Amino acid sequence: MISHYTVDRKIRSDDAYSPNNEPNKRPDCAATVYCQRCREAYSDVPIILGGIEGSLRRIAHYDYWSDKVRRLVLMDAKPDLLVYGNGERALIEIMYRLARG
């Protein structure tokens, strides 16, 4: 929803992260879709989910935009690991541990 609307719930006219700045090219639940696609392409690679969707949806919560309670992102996206908040240091530790097996 962040990519589709401004803070005052007006529809964005452009999207800086889509080709040619075209709006409405990304899915509403991007983390779920991207995790599924990564799992299909690279089934043996661990998926680490983070960012704003990982942080906001790490627990069941009320979604103001859709007016309903959303499930945990872990149930929908099925990542191997969830990192929330500022994940820079956590990601370095995860990479060290993955390299060590």
Side-chain angles (χ1 to χ4, degrees):
M1 296 307 280
I2 293 171
S3 67
H4 296 281
Y5 294 93
T6 63
V7 243
D8 56 352
R9 296 183 82 178
K10 293 184 180 177
I11 296 177
R12 288 190 188 277
S13 59
D14 64 344
D15 183 358
Y17 300 103
S18 294
N20 301 321
N21 292 334
E22 294 180 42
N24 302 322
K25 293 291 182 181
R26 292 188 280 167
D28 286 336
C29 299
T32 302
V33 174
Y34 296 152
C35 281
Q36 289 171 348
R37 297 294 177 260
C38 288
R39 185 80 65 205
E40 290 169 6
Y42 307 100
S43 59
D44 58 332
V45 176
I47 295 176
I48 303 168
L49 178 63
I52 192 162
E53 194 166 359
S55 294
L56 293 176
R57 292 188 56 204
R58 71 183 188 273
I59 58 173
H61 71 286
Y62 172 74
D63 184 14
Y64 174 77
W65 300 104
S66 62
D67 193 29
K68 62 182 179 180
V69 176
R70 300 279 309 263
R71 298 188 325 168
L72 288 72
V73 73
L74 292 171
M75 296 175 75
D76 294 334
K78 296 181 177 71
D80 297 300
L81 189 63
L82 175 72
V83 176
Y84 65 92
N86 188 349
E88 285 84 354
R89 289 187 179 167
L91 188 60
I92 292 170
E93 181 65 26
I94 292 165
M95 294 301 112
Y96 281 133
R97 290 181 183 213
L98 284 173
R100 286 184 266 163

